[in-house]
Amino acid sequence: MYIITNKAKRLVETCTIIEEVDSGFYVKDKNYIIGFDIDIYEVPTIPEDVQPYIHCYTPDKGFYPYVEPETPPKPKTPIELLQEENAMLQMSVIELSTYTALQDERLKGQEQAILELSMLVAGGGA
């Protein structure tokens, strides 16, 4: 039994008879020719659940599931970076405005307490 993998070791085909011809390899039991950019391995058996393009093969690892490679995140453009920074600055302004409003309320309460104490000390509260 033969298995055919692409250069990324992804299983492309399984067959029992394969021959090299001028334009690649002739997969005799499937009746088609596949190019030279492949690897061919002879294996004693193929597990029933192994499927082309779903599994990979290397002599060291044997059969294993194909895992889609992660694409690296694309770098952000200067405009995207500025938009993110602008959003963060807007959030900071909102937070500072809220803090300022809370401080104003606190100061009003303290001013009222000072005024009441001043009136008590001056003797105007009795």
Side-chain angles (χ1 to χ4, degrees), residues 97-110:
S97 297
T98 304
Y99 178 75
T100 302
L102 291 173
Q103 289 296 81
D104 284 348
E105 286 296 315
R106 192 170 142 232
L107 285 175
K108 283 180 187 175
Q110 289 175 350

Side-chain angles (χ1 to χ4, degrees), residues 16-70:
T16 55
I17 303 169
I18 190 165
E19 296 174 0
E20 187 171 353
V21 293
D22 290 340
S23 56
F25 291 92
Y26 176 54
V27 182
K28 204 167 195 176
D29 49 336
K30 307 282 174 130
N31 198 27
Y32 72 88
I33 294 175
I34 192 166
F36 286 108
D37 198 22
I38 60 168
D39 292 318
I40 301 169
Y41 302 98
E42 187 171 6
V43 294
T45 60
I46 298 173
E48 288 183 25
D49 63 333
V50 169
Q51 298 177 8
Y53 297 101
I54 306 279
H55 291 85
C56 298
Y57 178 84
T58 62
D60 297 338
K61 289 174 140 180
F63 294 99
Y64 57 95
Y66 173 73
V67 178
E68 195 72 40
E70 290 185 25

Side-chain angles (χ1 to χ4, degrees), residues 82-102:
L82 288 171
Q83 288 171 332
E84 284 180 8
E85 185 177 357
N86 186 34
M88 286 191 305
L89 289 171
Q90 286 176 346
M91 289 301 295
S92 296
V93 167
I94 291 170
E95 288 175 12
L96 287 172
S97 297
T98 304
Y99 178 75
T100 302
L102 291 173

